[in-house]
Amino acid sequence: MARVPSSVVAASGIVGGYGVARWTRQRPLGGVVLAAAGTAAARQWQQRAGGTAASALTAAYVAAFAGSHPLAKKVGAWPAVFGVAGAVALASWAVADRRG
């Protein structure tokens, strides 16, 4: 079975977490999606790039989630979510996925 790149997992977690929270009106449920995808991506980062890189990418994932909130006030919710998801995906690809 082909592995899903960690960049896709991470970006999907941010977009999916927001989408679930918005459409169900259950923010905790969106948080579960965000956390599950973040955990899966972190495991892949650890395997592919090591602990230091995994820690840095996990911090970027959390910072992107947090940063999407003030960004949304300037550009709108969905553009902010897609923007930070793209940034995390790019960082993940550059650090972990590009190698393999």
Side-chain angles (χ1 to χ4, degrees):
M1 177 186 263
R3 291 176 58 119
V4 177
S6 62
S7 54
V8 173
V9 173
S12 297
I14 293 172
V15 173
Y18 176 70
V20 166
R22 181 172 177 133
W23 288 314
T24 65
R25 292 187 160 85
Q26 298 293 319
R27 290 180 74 172
L29 188 56
V32 169
V33 172
L34 181 78
T39 300
R43 286 185 182 147
Q44 289 182 318
W45 295 329
Q46 170 71 32
Q47 292 170 349
R48 294 179 183 173
T52 302
S55 295
L57 288 168
T58 299
Y61 185 80
V62 172
F65 166 71
S68 69
H69 291 83
L71 182 60
K73 292 179 182 181
K74 296 179 190 264
V75 300
W78 280 112
V81 168
F82 285 125
V84 300
V88 168
L90 181 61
S92 179
W93 175 82
V95 173
D97 294 339
R98 178 174 52 150
R99 297 179 182 166

